[in-house]
RNA sequence: GCGCCCAUAGCUCAAUUGGAUAGAGCAUCCGCCUUCUAAGCGGACGGUUGCAGGUUCGAGUCCUGCUGGGCGCGCCA
């Protein structure tokens, strides 16, 4: 299934070849200058050098030899040798018809499907879901859907943070609270009554204690971590109670956000692989003793950086830093777990590619892990990719905080967005004939669409400013706008059904019909860009241009009020637009209500 | 100190291997509801792409330097 740009490129390549020009310069793409043409080819400029001719001459000969007149009229030449193409109404109509008849709405699939693990979400058992997990979850979910839609076999893995030092720290806090774990009945009762809210309160308090220089607590927590990982039944039992409480709450939060996983695994699931892995690393001669810990050096020859020590002296050290595999207490660090998780995934999913949708700030860490994995021969370096993203900031440009300065819980954030959605619905008097259930469902969908679209319309790598009022706004490039466009089309299709009006063969005559068809045609390009770059914002952008193109069509081309073949054609175009818009939004993880 | 990332319209953000006149949304201003949902549509205004050089037919994009901001730098994750 080729879009118009590919069809034009193929036709143009044939012309280039027939003129003895290198076909690689024949690429045709959407025009930057809609006033001059719908598609453009810049290849005459690039081909000029090797052909030993001037660009305008080449452009002239290409135009003269153009023979795909069923596709586009003879290209015009502008500037220093740009070729501008205008597609024929028939070719546009054909393309629109193909999209209308295609369940995938014109989207292609990958030539060679791969096995891909997408690691995202990454909630921490001791912390509970807050806005910090929003981007990882939203972007990861979208990447998972995009990869699967393109034809790859995909596993999304939550990779719960349920195994590190934080678990030892929370266990230590509980020990302090109970005055030790000797009283079995007391411990059981406490574990029974444990809530996520309590865990969320305990962890930051103790983390602050340790950070503030409480060496004694730190060492006890490290020992507790080592005990847990060493298989202590008591520690394991306490850990399990904490994990269960946390997991249940997080599953609810993920469901509310419309984020799902194929594998609900965590760091602890990779733990059983660690002893053998450490032996293996040792056997391969990769482990070294260093300051009581065991490390793997990952820097290549000549890779160094300067480092300033605490006493002020500057020394030359290897770069990247070595990966710390076994701490001086004998416990696993997060790098250890990440490495073991690679071993686990290679064993279980045999992935061609593992994508880590994790905060950009962890780039150095992943570089260490990836190099270590490659060095140990577990997987090739190119099969591991960190899909990093920027932070979500408050209006002050700093990482998002509540007015009180704390972290905003995910559940509260969604609640705030829903409340704004309810206000909007009521202001527009949409709620009159809605049941309470439908009203709440629509409010929820509008809220999630607003939050997700705001996030996904920015390139993932850059940080963005979170402004709920703007995201939920009446006007503009927002999630609610896109839902509104989709819902308008649904309304038309319902009315057509009631009136017994059926879609028919598509013709493209009106300027707004051309624009809509060209927007529909651009879907595959947006999809492949999003796929190749692991960047959903290309699809968010597409959803917006498509919605706008439809809106222009809607305003200029009456559908039901028109008649006969024109009405049937426009109805088919509207149906195609709805199908593709719904699909695009689904790839972003956004659900469309029936009406709003 | 060393390293990575970023700097685009008043604000929030785009710009596919380097391509023509750098695009959207918001805000401001002007039009459009007796036609299918006006959460809409059309138009106007708005730019020395942080600064200075370089590479070439051509630079927001590549290179060097500078300024300003963010982040990271073994026993947290």
């Amino acid at each position: 299934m080729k879009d118009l740009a590919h069809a034009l490129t193929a036709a143009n390549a044939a012309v280039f070849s027939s003129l003895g020009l290198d076909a690689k310069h024949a690429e045709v793409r959407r025009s930057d200058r809609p006033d001059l043409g719908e598609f453009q080819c810049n290849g005459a400029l690039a081909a000029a050098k090797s052909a030993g001719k001037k660009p305008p001459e080449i452009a002239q000969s290409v135009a003269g030899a153009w023979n795909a007149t069923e596709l586009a009229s003879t290209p015009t030449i502008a500037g220093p040798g740009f070729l501008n193409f205008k597609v024929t109404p028939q070719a546009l109509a054909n393309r629109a018809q193909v999209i209308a008849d295609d369940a995938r709405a014109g989207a292609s699939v990958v030539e060679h499907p791969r096995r891909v693990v997408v690691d995202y979400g990454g909630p921490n058992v001791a912390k509970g879901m807050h806005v910090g997990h929003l981007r990882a979850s939203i972007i990861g979910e979208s990447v998972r859907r995009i990869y699967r839609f393109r034809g790859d076999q995909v596993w999304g893995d939550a990779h719960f943070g349920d195994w590190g030092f934080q678990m030892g720290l929370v266990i230590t806090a509980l020990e302090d609270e109970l005055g030790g774990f000797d009283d079995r009945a007391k411990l059981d009762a406490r574990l029974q009554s444990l809530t996520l809210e309590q865990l969320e309160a305990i962890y930051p308090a103790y983390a602050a204690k340790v950070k503030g220089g409480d060496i004694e607590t730190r060492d006890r927590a490290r020992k507790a971590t080592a005990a847990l990982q060493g298989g202590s039944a008591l520690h394991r039992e306490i850990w399990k109670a904490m994990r269960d409480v946390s997991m249940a709450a997080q599953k609810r939060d993920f469901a509310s956000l419309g984020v799902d996983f194929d594998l609900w695994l965590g760091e602890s699931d990779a733990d059983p692989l660690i002893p053998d892995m450490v032996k293996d690393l040792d056997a391969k001669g990769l482990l070294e003793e260093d300051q009581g810990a065991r490390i793997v050096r990952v820097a290549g020859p000549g890779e160094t950086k300067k480092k300033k020590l605490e006493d002020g002296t500057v020394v030359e050290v290897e770069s990247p830093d070595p990966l710390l595999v076994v701490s001086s207490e004998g416990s696993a660090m997060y790098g250890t777990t990440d490495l073991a998780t690679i071993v686990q995934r290679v064993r279980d999913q045999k992935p061609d590619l593992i994508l880590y949708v994790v905060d950009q700030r962890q780039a150095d860490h992943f570089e260490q892990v990836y190099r270590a994995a490659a060095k140990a021969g577990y997987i090739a370096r190119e099969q591991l990719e960190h899909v990093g993203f920027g932070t979500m900031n408050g209006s002050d440009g700093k990482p998002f905080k509540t007015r009180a300065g704390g972290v905003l819980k995910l559940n509260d954030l969604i609640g705030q967005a829903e409340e704004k959605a309810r206000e909007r619905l009521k202001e527009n008097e949409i709620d009159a004939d809605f049941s309470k259930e439908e009203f709440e469902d629509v409010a929820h969908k509008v809220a999630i669409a607003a939050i997700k679209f705001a996030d996904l319309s920015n390139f993932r790598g850059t940080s963005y400013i979170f402004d709920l009022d703007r995201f939920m706004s009446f006007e503009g490039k927002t999630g609610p706008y896109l839902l509104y466009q989709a819902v308008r089309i649904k309304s038309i299709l319902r009315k057509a059904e009631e009136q017994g009006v059926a879609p028919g063969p598509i013709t493209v005559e009106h300027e707004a019909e051309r624009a809509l068809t060209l927007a529909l045609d651009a879907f595959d390009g947006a999809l492949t860009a999003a796929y190749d770059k692991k960047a959903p914002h290309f699809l968010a952008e597409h959803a917006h241009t498509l919605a706008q193109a439809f809106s222009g069509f809607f305003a200029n081309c009456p559908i039901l009020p028109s008649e006969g073949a024109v009405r049937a054609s426009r109805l088919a175009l509207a149906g195609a637009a709805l199908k593709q818009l719904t699909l695009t939004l689904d790839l972003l993880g956004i659900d469309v209500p029936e009406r709003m």
Side-chain angles (χ1 to χ4, degrees), chain A residues 48 312 383:
Chain A
Q383 291 173 271

Side-chain angles (χ1 to χ4, degrees), chain A residues 225-283:
Chain A
T225 306
L228 171 66
Q229 296 177 355
S232 154
L234 176 70
H235 287 78
R236 189 87 194 185
E237 199 178 325
I238 298 167
W239 167 82
K240 189 172 184 312
M242 291 174 168
R243 186 176 180 278
D244 288 349
V245 163
S246 177
M247 186 89 101
Q250 283 164 357
K251 283 196 172 183
R252 275 199 306 277
D253 282 348
F254 278 125
S256 173
L257 194 58
V259 170
D260 199 7
F261 300 94
D262 306 290
L263 304 169
W264 294 81
L265 299 175
E267 295 171 337
S268 63
D269 291 294
D271 185 66
L273 287 86
I274 290 177
D276 282 350
M277 183 185 80
V278 171
K279 273 185 214 155
D280 180 61
L281 292 171
D282 204 13

Side-chain angles (χ1 to χ4, degrees), chain A residues 83-318:
Chain A
L83 289 159
N84 293 303
F85 300 85
K86 188 171 163 104
V87 181
T88 64
Q90 189 55 49
L92 278 174
N94 290 346
R95 180 64 185 148
Q97 193 67 56
V98 165
I99 291 169
D101 295 340
D102 177 19
R104 295 173 58 80
S108 63
V109 293
V110 290
E111 215 171 316
H112 305 289
R114 292 180 290 182
R115 302 168 67 86
V116 182
V117 172
V118 185
D119 180 322
Y120 60 102
N124 187 320
V125 162
K127 278 195 216 161
M129 296 269 282
H130 56 85
V131 294
H133 296 104
L134 202 58
R135 298 212 76 190
S137 306
I138 290 174
I139 297 167
E141 175 70 19
S142 182
V143 168
R144 179 177 78 116
R145 292 182 186 209
I146 291 166
Y147 269 65
R148 185 166 289 162
F149 186 64
R150 288 276 284 152
D152 288 329
Q153 186 164 357
V154 182
W155 293 264
D157 184 1
H159 200 61
F160 277 84
D162 64 355
W163 203 241
F165 175 76
Q166 85 263 16
M167 298 313 307
L169 194 62
V170 183
I171 290 171
T172 301
L174 196 68
E175 186 179 17
D176 286 348
E177 183 194 320
L178 297 177
F181 293 136
D182 297 334
D183 188 337
R184 186 66 223 201
K186 198 172 166 188
L187 175 60
D188 285 343
R190 187 65 190 91
L191 292 180
Q192 282 284 323
S193 68
L194 193 66
T195 66
L196 181 62
E197 287 68 29
Q198 290 166 353
L199 282 176
E200 284 171 356
I202 292 169
Y203 176 70
Y206 265 66
K209 245 176 122 162
V210 168
K211 211 177 174 187
D214 186 339
I215 306 290
E216 194 247 329
T217 302
R218 186 197 69 187
D219 288 345
R220 284 174 56 220
R222 279 187 187 169
K223 286 197 166 62
T225 306
L228 171 66
Q229 296 177 355
S232 154
L234 176 70
H235 287 78
R236 189 87 194 185
E237 199 178 325
I238 298 167
W239 167 82
K240 189 172 184 312
M242 291 174 168
R243 186 176 180 278
D244 288 349
V245 163
S246 177
M247 186 89 101
Q250 283 164 357
K251 283 196 172 183
R252 275 199 306 277
D253 282 348
F254 278 125
S256 173
L257 194 58
V259 170
D260 199 7
F261 300 94
D262 306 290
L263 304 169
W264 294 81
L265 299 175
E267 295 171 337
S268 63
D269 291 294
D271 185 66
L273 287 86
I274 290 177
D276 282 350
M277 183 185 80
V278 171
K279 273 185 214 155
D280 180 61
L281 292 171
D282 204 13
K284 285 171 175 160
L286 298 173
L287 276 187
E288 285 180 44
E289 295 283 334
D290 193 274
Q291 297 167 44
R294 311 188 78 187
I295 61 169
V296 173
R297 297 193 189 277
V298 296
E303 288 188 312
T304 61
K305 64 177 178 185
K306 284 174 183 156
K307 188 172 182 180
K308 196 176 183 179
L309 300 177
E310 279 179 28
D311 62 10
T313 56
V314 176
V315 294
E316 187 106 338
V317 298
E318 65 202 301

Side-chain angles (χ1 to χ4, degrees), chain A residues 33-54:
Chain A
R33 293 288 304 273
D35 54 320
L36 298 177
E38 289 160 346
F39 292 83
Q40 63 177 332
C41 171
N42 305 334
L45 282 72
K49 236 177 216 165
S50 51
K53 290 180 184 168
K54 291 201 160 100

